[in-house]
């Protein structure tokens, strides 16, 4: 059964059948893309062998290895179903495989060159080079605590600018910063720079980097070196995911704010000390079903991953009426001057699922909250999170035990999730004799018929068309089979082929259309 498969087995199956969204979800969850199943097949080999071009591209972008000098890489190339896939694998530059191993990593990397959302940042100043590097405080706190600590004085007072000692070179520090931002840097390192870079990474307690460089500088074989670099970048990305996970739990979720506590003039000093975190630059307000409010101290640069927030943050704060200030009488509070942005009403666990996803691509969505997460993701215009939520809805049997199929259909229409629409149609086709008399089924067809104008079509009802398609699948029929059996009079042949049952199911749909005075 599907629910007993391991995540890697689910990934292999998704690659075999071409389920792009599920491959994306599992890759985002950190499933090893370069493992092999019991038959020594890698996910990339399965996708190549079965001819799923888009899945092949996605796997390569996420870090799947296709080195033609290694057995598995050669097997992928020569086993590819189509010439197009073979050309993709042959032309693929192995060095690119480490650039976008995870979408969150791609976003983190982009932040180093984008200053638009750099607020409450830090500045590393190199006097001898007359240069400086602007970095995000929260990322430094999550990924390199030793360097982050340098921005505090002896009295533990935060200092936003740090003057780098003259014995440290800009080039070496830049490589370290790129590593912190998950930008592949190994290929930029010159042989003469290894000792200095290793020493600095040890000083900053970046053990993953220092240990790897110490091993790599003794390797001369190009193929072995390429493999080591790819495996290293995957390990670094997973390490960063864990670091950001810990950061979210310890610096955001443990520091949530009850707005009621901020409306009193005499806020306890212990409460103030709890919420002061100089890296936060935006407050995210959530309100649950009981009208209880909770504020999460977040970061504009991360929330901007969601398209809704990205557009919102691009507007000038002074002209942006979507922002507001906390109603706090204690002006000394560090958070009183931060802007506040609200999520639509949702349970706090849903807000936290969204936050975890935006910070480190966490895709763990409990079925109980999958529909709520889908609705919030739709509001935020975050398509990947929508897809992940839809996958949970379609794959966890508990969803159908707690929601009617027509509730799911309404959500599918509301969020424009075609995957969910097909999921509903398939279930309706499977049990058409159970559903066709229900008022909900008739209402669903009527609603679907009214959506025709939105699709600029006049001769079809999408839900009916989908159900008819899945009726063919239900009886293992092809459109050509239907045309052939129209000329067959042998009842036994029609019965054994499933044609008679197929026609009965079609008649049930036609009966409903007749009752509703619809022609489709």
């Amino acid at each position: 059964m599907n629910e007993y498969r391991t995540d890697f087995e689910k990934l292999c199956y998704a690659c075999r059948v071409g389920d792009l969204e599920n491959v994306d979800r599992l890759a985002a969850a950190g499933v090893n893309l370069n493992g092999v199943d019991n038959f020594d097949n890698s996910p990339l080999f399965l996708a190549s062998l079965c001819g799923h071009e888009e899945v092949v591209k996605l796997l390569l972008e996420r870090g799947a290895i296709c080195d033609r000098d290694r057995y598995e890489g050669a097997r992928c190339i020569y086993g590819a179903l189509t010439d197009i896939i073979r050309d993709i694998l042959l032309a693929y530059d192995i060095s690119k495989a480490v650039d976008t191993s995870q979408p969150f990593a791609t976003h983190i990397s982009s932040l180093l060159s984008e200053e638009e959302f750099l607020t409450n940042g830090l500045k590393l100043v190199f006097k001898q080079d007359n240069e400086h590097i602007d970095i995000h405080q929260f990322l430094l706190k999550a990924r390199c605590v030793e360097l982050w600590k340098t921005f505090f004085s002896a009295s533990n007072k935060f200092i936003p600018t740090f003057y780098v000692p003259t014995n440290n070179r800009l080039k070496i520090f830049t490589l370290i910063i790129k590593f912190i931002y998950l930008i592949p840097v190994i290929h930029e390192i010159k042989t003469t720079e290894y000792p200095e870079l290793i020493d600095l990474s040890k000083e900053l307690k970046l053990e993953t980097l220092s240990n790897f460089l110490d091993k790599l500088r003794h390797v001369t074989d190009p193929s072995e070196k390429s493999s080591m670099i790819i495996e290293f970048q995957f390990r670094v990305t997973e390490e960063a995911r864990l670091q950001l996970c810990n950061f979210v739990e310890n610096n955001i979720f443990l520091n949530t704010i009850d707005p009621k506590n901020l409306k009193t003039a005499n806020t306890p000093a212990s409460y103030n000390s709890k919420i002061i975190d100089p890296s936060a630059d935006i407050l995210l307000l959530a309100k649950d079903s009981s009208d209880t409010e909770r504020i999460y101290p977040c970061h504009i640069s991360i929330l901007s991953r969601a398209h809704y927030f990205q557009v919102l943050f691009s507007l000038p704060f002074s002209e942006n009426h979507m922002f507001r200030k906390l109603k706090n009488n204690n002006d000394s509070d560090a958070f009183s001057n931060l802007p506040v942005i609200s999520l639509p009403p949702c349970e706090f666990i849903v807000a936290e699922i969204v936050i975890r996803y935006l910070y480190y691509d966490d895709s763990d969505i409990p079925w109980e909250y999958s529909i709520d997460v889908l609705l919030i993701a739709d509001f935020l215009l975050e398509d990947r999170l929508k897809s992940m939520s839809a996958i949970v809805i379609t794959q966890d049997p508990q969803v159908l035990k707690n929601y009617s199929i027509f509730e799911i259909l309404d959500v599918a229409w509301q969020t424009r999730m075609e995957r969910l629409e097909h999921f509903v149609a398939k279930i309706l086709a499977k049990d058409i004799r159970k559903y066709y008399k229900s008022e909900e089924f008739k209402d669903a067809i009527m609603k679907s018929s009214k959506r025709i104008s939105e699709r600029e079509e006049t001769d079809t009802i999408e839900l009916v068309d989908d159900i008819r398609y899945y009726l063919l699948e239900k009886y293992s029929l092809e459109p050509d089979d239907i045309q052939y059996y129209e000329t067959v009079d042998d009842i036994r042949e029609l019965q054994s082929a499933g044609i008679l049952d197929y026609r009965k199911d079609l008649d049930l749909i036609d009966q409903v259309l007749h009752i509703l005075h619809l022609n489709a």
Side-chain angles (χ1 to χ4, degrees):
M1 297 295 291
N2 184 59
E3 56 264 36
Y4 298 116
R5 290 177 179 158
T6 66
D7 283 344
F8 182 74
E9 289 171 334
K10 291 177 183 177
L11 173 64
C12 289
Y13 178 77
C15 291
R16 205 158 49 235
V17 300
D19 189 346
L20 185 68
E21 292 176 337
N22 224 353
V23 172
D24 188 13
R25 179 184 70 88
L26 292 164
V31 178
N32 183 10
L33 302 184
N34 295 304
V36 293
D37 63 13
N38 294 333
F39 303 98
D40 290 331
N41 297 324
S42 70
L44 183 62
F45 173 75
L46 292 170
S48 302
L49 182 69
C50 297
H52 302 302
E53 181 182 336
E54 295 305 316
V55 174
V56 168
K57 290 179 181 177
L58 179 67
L59 289 170
L60 292 171
E61 289 171 358
R62 295 289 186 269
I65 299 172
C66 183
D67 185 346
R68 72 188 74 177
D69 295 326
R70 297 171 65 180
Y71 167 74
E72 187 57 40
R75 192 164 174 247
C76 288
I77 292 169
Y78 294 113
L81 182 66
T82 68
D83 290 339
I84 293 176
I85 291 177
R86 187 175 296 109
D87 290 342
I88 290 172
L89 296 172
L90 287 170
Y92 193 76
D93 182 355
I94 195 169
S95 66
K96 293 178 183 177
V98 299
D99 289 348
T100 55
S101 59
Q102 299 285 0
F104 93 94
T106 304
H107 181 76
I108 293 293
S109 298
S110 71
L111 295 178
L112 186 59
S113 58
E114 294 179 4
E115 299 181 359
E116 184 178 8
F117 301 135
L118 180 61
T119 55
N120 284 4
L122 306 173
K123 190 182 294 292
L124 285 173
V125 178
F126 298 81
K127 283 186 175 181
Q128 72 276 26
D129 296 301
N130 196 27
E131 293 283 353
H132 70 272
I133 304 175
D134 292 316
I135 50 182
H136 292 77
Q137 185 180 167
F138 84 92
L139 190 59
L140 210 57
K141 189 174 183 179
R143 298 264 293 127
C144 187
V145 177
E146 288 301 308
L147 185 54
W148 180 74
K149 287 178 180 177
T150 62
F151 288 87
F152 288 84
S153 64
S155 60
N156 208 35
K157 183 179 179 182
F158 175 66
I159 303 172
T161 302
F162 176 70
Y163 293 92
V164 180
T166 54
N167 59 322
N168 290 287
R169 289 194 297 129
L170 173 63
K171 172 65 184 302
I172 300 301
F173 246 100
T174 300
L175 291 172
I176 291 288
I177 298 302
K178 285 185 175 181
F179 169 79
I180 292 171
Y181 276 82
L182 300 178
I183 299 173
V185 296
I186 304 303
H187 64 283
E188 297 183 26
I189 305 172
K190 297 178 180 179
T191 305
T192 55
E193 293 171 337
Y194 270 82
E196 190 178 356
L197 189 56
I198 290 173
D199 288 344
L200 182 57
S201 58
K202 286 181 178 178
E203 181 182 337
L204 297 176
K205 297 186 178 180
L206 297 173
E207 296 178 0
T208 301
L209 179 60
S210 61
N211 292 340
F212 176 73
L213 292 176
D214 201 35
K215 291 179 182 178
L216 188 67
R217 62 175 171 172
H218 301 296
V219 177
T220 56
D221 180 69
S223 178
E224 183 181 357
K225 200 167 187 176
S226 294
S227 299
M228 287 178 65
I229 291 173
I230 289 173
E231 291 168 4
F232 165 74
Q233 195 65 32
F234 178 81
R235 188 166 69 252
V236 168
T237 302
E238 290 308 298
E239 180 182 74
R241 282 165 57 89
L242 180 59
Q243 290 168 332
L244 285 165
C245 171
N246 292 333
F247 178 86
V248 167
E249 297 297 327
N250 297 324
N251 292 274
I252 297 179
F253 295 161
L254 288 183
N255 286 329
T256 57
I257 308 162
D258 183 348
K260 293 178 182 178
N261 292 340
L262 295 174
K263 295 177 183 179
T264 59
N266 298 317
T267 305
S270 60
Y271 183 74
N272 272 342
S273 63
K274 170 192 170 186
I275 66 172
I276 292 178
D277 179 351
S279 74
D281 53 17
I282 190 88
L283 302 180
L284 186 64
L285 176 66
K287 180 186 290 188
D288 69 5
S289 56
S290 65
D291 282 342
T292 303
E293 292 184 331
R294 183 180 293 178
I295 290 176
Y296 298 89
C298 293
H299 305 84
I300 290 173
S301 56
I302 290 294
L303 296 190
S304 66
R305 275 192 71 191
H307 187 65
Y308 172 83
F309 286 138
Q310 183 182 49
V311 172
L312 195 62
F313 296 153
S314 298
L315 301 174
F317 275 37
S318 59
E319 300 174 11
N320 196 332
H321 300 297
M322 297 297 292
F323 292 105
R324 63 182 179 83
K325 300 291 184 179
L326 287 175
K327 295 179 180 179
N328 181 14
N329 294 325
N330 185 2
D331 291 335
S332 64
D333 181 30
F335 281 78
S336 60
N337 292 319
L338 294 184
V340 183
I341 189 69
S342 298
L343 284 173
C346 65
E347 299 304 313
F348 296 139
I349 190 170
V350 173
E352 291 169 9
I353 288 170
V354 172
I355 291 171
R356 289 189 180 100
Y357 166 78
L358 292 176
Y359 274 82
Y360 57 94
D361 261 2
D362 184 43
S363 59
D364 184 13
I365 304 172
W367 69 264
E368 301 96 318
Y369 302 102
S370 54
I371 288 179
D372 293 329
V373 173
L374 173 58
L375 293 170
I376 290 292
D378 184 59
F379 172 83
L380 296 176
L381 308 176
E382 182 47 52
D383 290 338
R384 282 188 72 247
L385 186 56
K386 285 174 61 176
S387 295
M388 291 176 181
S389 305
I391 287 169
V392 174
I393 294 170
T394 59
Q395 292 191 347
D396 197 310
Q398 291 296 326
V399 176
L400 278 178
K401 292 179 181 178
N402 290 270
Y403 294 92
S404 81
I405 194 65
F406 300 106
E407 288 177 309
I408 296 173
L409 180 59
D410 283 338
V411 171
W413 283 337
Q414 182 180 342
T415 57
R416 303 165 304 284
M417 282 303 299
E418 187 175 348
R419 184 189 187 102
L420 280 187
E421 293 182 41
H422 284 282
F423 170 71
V424 170
K426 189 171 185 177
I427 290 177
L428 293 175
K430 180 181 178 181
D431 293 319
I432 189 65
R433 300 178 192 189
K434 166 186 172 183
Y435 290 111
Y436 86 101
K437 288 184 178 180
S438 70
E439 291 302 317
E440 293 100 326
F441 183 68
K442 296 172 185 175
D443 289 342
I445 290 180
M446 284 300 297
K447 288 178 182 177
S448 185
S449 70
K450 292 176 181 177
R451 290 163 53 85
I452 291 175
S453 59
E454 298 176 15
R455 302 192 313 276
E456 298 181 358
E457 297 175 2
T458 58
D459 58 352
T460 182
I461 297 176
E462 190 172 29
L463 178 59
V464 173
D465 284 350
D466 289 343
I467 294 173
R468 285 171 173 161
Y469 170 81
Y470 285 110
L471 283 177
L472 287 172
E473 184 178 283
K474 175 182 176 180
Y475 293 105
S476 302
L477 297 170
E478 297 290 341
D480 290 343
D481 296 334
I482 304 303
Q483 188 173 3
Y484 163 75
Y485 284 113
E486 286 178 354
T487 63
V488 174
D489 295 326
D490 189 332
I491 297 297
R492 285 177 299 179
E493 183 179 354
L494 294 174
Q495 182 66 53
S496 63
I499 291 294
L500 295 182
D501 288 332
Y502 169 73
R503 288 174 178 172
K504 288 178 183 178
D505 286 354
L506 281 183
D507 287 342
L508 296 179
I509 296 175
D510 290 338
Q511 288 177 34
V512 175
L513 293 173
H514 178 73
I515 292 171
L516 297 175
H517 305 290
L518 294 172
N519 181 22

